């Protein structure tokens, strides 16, 4: 029903490039390849390796140039095709386009467009890589991030206090939608299928890798992230998400290797803005991927989300580094709607791989996180029979800030439903102010704390002391005692 941005074949300004200096404005390409892309060393980052698609550039034209004007600007050049991101262009009043050439280098294209006064910005078509660690062996058999009893070397209460929060609310309003920009989803998974958004014609989102409306997961990462946000709760199967019922809109930008090209991400951002304009109440967007490059077009897109009241929850990165000095985007864009999330372990310490800094806002559980996976996936070498059965049935463990971000997305989705009359900024404030402040995070991240569902939904709930057992279920609120007891029981029965 909803296709990707139109592709227009054009001829492209050959004589202009012949009379310009080559190589002055762009990164140097090497012969190394990652999923069809070249890897380049950034001169500003002391040997850090970044990747982009060779022969392609993303261009932002000032003042919303028309399609005809764009074609005039590139007439006689060397590109064979262009793609205009129509939804994003309409929303911002600028024109965003991708230009591709088989004959011209990236640096030649950068040099040509950077000299044009109609161009606001130009960059290579950089890649974003999924911020994850491959499914781990052995798998931990319980969802400690939701409710941590202090076993397996962990600290009691080192969790988001989901049972305490579920006293107030377990599910989202039917109108609220969470967009998951990732590697797709296993759409028939027993713990996910009932919680998928359904649009016109029954679509659940869009696949920008294959350009169709079936965003199937070829990697596993997207399915894992979606399960943390919203695996069906209290259904006697597998795991439970932070939100037991939620509408998950799936935007597939990552390929089977977990690589996201910037043009696919911009298409996803455009698609979301179009659906929002059509009246779909997209409240939160989860982005569990990142890269080191600041892309003005991406920032403009996420700023447009802010103008539409859409929260963006982003993984802070898995380099164990300071994001203030080595930013990871989109988490590091300074925008009022972004929540940058790092990861804690089961003892409430900053996970060994986690990025930090004053530009990182909150922490959430992110080490050895059990969630949904691709059913039938082969087990790893050395796995026990029990571990192999878990993996093959469609569940697996994963570590990374990719796994931490969806905990916060789930909290945000429930908060938007609990306080539907509040603004994006108010809901964001509730999440940041409702954290459990931890000594291990003081001075490391802006809030100094790990997200707490209970305190986000119920500001009167007391802040828990580290390693305390406060929280859990009660007979109060809108749920029956039987329903409340079912959630932790699932952890005990199905997590082991």
């Amino acid at each position: 029903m909803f296709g990707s941005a139109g592709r227009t074949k054009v001829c492209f300004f050959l004589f202009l490039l012949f009379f310009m200096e080559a190589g002055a404005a762009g990164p140097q390409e090497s012969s190394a390849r990652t999923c069809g892309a070249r890897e380049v060393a950034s001169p500003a980052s002391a040997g850090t390796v970044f990747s982009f698609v060779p022969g392609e550039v993303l261009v932002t034209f000032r003042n919303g140039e028309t399609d005809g004007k764009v074609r005039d600007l590139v007439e006689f050049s060397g590109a064979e095709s262009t793609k205009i991101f129509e939804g994003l262009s309409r929303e911002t009043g600028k024109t965003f386009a991708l230009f591709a050439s088989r004959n011209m280098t990236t640096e030649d294209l950068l040099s040509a467009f950077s000299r044009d006064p109609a161009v606001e910005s130009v960059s290579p078509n950089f890649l974003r890589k999924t911020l994850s660690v491959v499914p781990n062996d052995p798998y931990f058999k319980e969802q400690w991030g939701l409710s941590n009893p202090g076993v397996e070397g962990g600290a009691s209460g080192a969790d988001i206090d989901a049972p305490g929060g579920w006293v107030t609310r377990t599910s989202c309003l039917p109108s609220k939608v969470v967009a998951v920009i990732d590697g797709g989803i296993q759409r028939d998974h027993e713990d996910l299928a009932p919680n998928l958004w359904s649009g016109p014609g029954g679509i659940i989102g869009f696949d920008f890798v294959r350009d169709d409306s079936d965003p199937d997961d070829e990697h596993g990462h997207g399915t894992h992230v979606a399960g943390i946000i919203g695996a069906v709760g209290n259904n006697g199967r597998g795991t439970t998400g932070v939100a037991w019922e939620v509408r998950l809109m799936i935007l597939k930008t990552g390929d089977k290797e977990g690589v996201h090209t910037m043009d696919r991400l911009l298409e996803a951002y455009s698609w979301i803005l179009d659906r929002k304009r059509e009246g779909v109440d997209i409240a939160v967007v989860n982005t569990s991927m990142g890269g080191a490059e600041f892309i003005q077009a991406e920032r403009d897109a996420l700023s447009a989300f802010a103008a539409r009241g859409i929260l963006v929850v982003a993984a802070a990165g898995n380099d164990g580094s300071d994001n203030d000095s080595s930013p990871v985007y989109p988490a590091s864009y300074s925008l009022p709607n972004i929540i940058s999330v790092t990861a804690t372990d089961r003892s409430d310490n900053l996970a060994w791989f986690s990025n930090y800094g004053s530009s990182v806002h909150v922490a959430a559980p992110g080490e050895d996180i059990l969630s949904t996976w691709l059913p039938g996936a082969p087990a790893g070498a050395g796995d026990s029979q029990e571990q192999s059965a878990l993996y093959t049935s469609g569940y697996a463990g994963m570590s990374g800030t990719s796994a931490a971000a969806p905990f916060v997305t789930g909290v945000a989705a429930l908060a938007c439903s609990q306080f539907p009359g509040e603004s994006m900024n108010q809901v964001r404030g509730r999440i940041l102010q409702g954290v459990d402040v931890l000594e291990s995070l003081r001075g490391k991240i802006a809030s100094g704390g790990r997200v707490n569902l209970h305190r986000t939904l119920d500001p009167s709930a007391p802040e828990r002391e580290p390693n305390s057992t406060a929280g859990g279920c009660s007979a109060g609120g809108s749920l029956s005692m039987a329903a409340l007891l079912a959630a932790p029981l699932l952890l005990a029965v199905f997590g082991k």
Side-chain angles (χ1 to χ4, degrees), residues 131-467:
L131 299 176
S132 68
V133 179
V134 295
N136 50 315
D137 284 327
Y139 302 111
F140 291 92
K141 307 301 193 303
E142 56 187 32
Q143 292 178 274
W144 67 266
L146 298 174
S147 180
N148 189 347
V151 299
E152 299 191 43
S156 177
D159 53 57
I160 71 167
D161 194 8
W166 288 335
V167 173
T168 301
R169 175 174 289 276
T170 62
S171 301
C172 297
L173 295 174
S175 61
K176 297 296 181 184
V177 176
V178 174
V180 183
I181 302 177
D182 212 287
I185 198 166
Q186 182 73 31
R187 64 184 301 159
D188 60 354
H189 196 291
E190 63 177 5
D191 243 353
L192 294 173
N195 277 352
L196 294 179
W197 172 75
S198 180
I203 65 169
I204 63 170
F206 202 83
D207 184 337
F208 297 99
V209 178
R210 296 182 176 177
D211 200 26
D212 62 35
S213 57
D214 183 18
D216 61 311
D217 191 353
E218 303 173 88
H219 182 274
H221 186 273
T223 297
H224 194 274
V225 165
I228 297 170
I229 300 168
V232 180
N234 200 34
N235 66 345
R237 298 179 180 180
T239 59
T240 184
V242 176
W244 291 8
E245 294 180 14
V246 61
R247 297 293 168 259
L248 299 171
M249 174 187 284
I250 308 302
L251 291 311
K252 179 181 175 180
T253 59
D255 61 20
K256 63 184 179 181
E257 304 296 336
V259 176
H260 308 250
T261 62
M262 183 53 59
D263 66 303
R264 294 198 294 258
L265 286 167
L266 291 175
E267 285 189 294
Y269 300 151
S270 269
W271 203 92
I272 288 171
L273 288 167
D274 282 342
R275 304 295 79 75
K276 185 76 170 180
R277 191 180 301 109
E278 292 167 358
V280 180
D281 190 5
I282 302 168
V284 192
V285 174
N286 190 91
T287 60
S288 287
M289 85 288 293
E293 305 81 16
F294 178 102
I295 306 296
Q296 186 63 48
E298 182 177 45
R299 188 186 187 281
D300 287 345
L302 300 183
S303 180
F305 282 7
R308 290 281 179 174
I310 303 173
L311 278 168
V312 177
V313 179
N318 299 337
D319 306 308
S321 60
D322 187 344
N323 279 12
D324 296 344
S325 56
S326 300
V328 172
Y329 300 101
S332 292
Y333 292 123
S334 181
L335 291 170
N337 59 328
I338 286 181
I339 302 178
S340 173
V341 185
T342 193
T344 51
D345 63 19
R346 63 177 67 229
S347 296
D348 259 344
N349 296 311
L350 190 69
W352 64 269
F353 51 79
S354 292
N355 289 7
Y356 53 90
S358 62
S359 57
V360 177
H361 303 117
V362 298
E367 190 170 78
D368 303 321
I369 301 301
L370 181 66
S371 183
T372 47
W373 196 253
L374 304 182
D383 283 342
S384 68
Q385 184 175 359
E386 185 181 13
Q387 292 162 352
S388 298
L390 177 68
Y391 202 1
T392 304
S393 65
Y395 300 90
M398 189 177 75
S399 296
T401 57
S402 277
F407 277 100
V408 179
T409 297
V411 170
L414 290 176
C416 287
S417 295
Q418 182 66 17
F419 310 103
E422 293 193 349
S423 69
M424 172 195 75
N425 289 333
Q426 288 174 308
V427 171
R428 183 177 182 271
R430 284 184 180 276
I431 295 169
L432 301 187
Q433 293 162 20
V435 300
D436 286 329
V437 176
L438 305 172
E439 283 301 321
S440 61
L441 299 178
R442 287 185 190 273
K444 286 285 189 179
I445 61 175
S447 68
R450 182 235 322 111
V451 70
N452 182 309
L453 176 65
H454 189 184
R455 298 189 67 235
T456 297
L457 299 183
D458 180 8
S460 66
E463 182 174 356
R464 295 180 300 169
E465 292 296 324
N467 301 346

Side-chain angles (χ1 to χ4, degrees), residues 92-108:
T92 62
K94 304 176 184 180
T95 297
F96 297 83
L98 170 79
F99 293 95
S101 172
R102 289 191 298 268
N103 301 317
M104 300 298 157
T105 66
T106 305
E107 56 220 324
D108 284 341

Side-chain angles (χ1 to χ4, degrees), residues 28-92:
Q28 299 297 310
E29 298 176 358
S30 76
S31 59
R33 293 181 177 272
T34 302
C35 303
R38 297 183 188 276
E39 294 187 340
V40 295
S42 167
S45 279
T48 300
V49 176
F50 304 141
S51 296
F52 60 90
V53 181
E56 295 186 3
V57 292
L58 294 162
V59 182
T60 302
F61 293 97
R62 306 178 194 277
N63 304 322
E65 301 289 359
T66 64
D67 289 1
K69 178 63 174 175
V70 172
R71 286 193 291 270
D72 290 343
L73 287 169
V74 299
E75 188 179 4
F76 306 119
S77 95
E80 288 82 27
S81 65
T82 185
K83 178 196 302 180
I84 295 175
F85 305 103
E86 296 172 355
L88 179 57
S89 299
R90 281 193 298 269
E91 188 73 22
T92 62

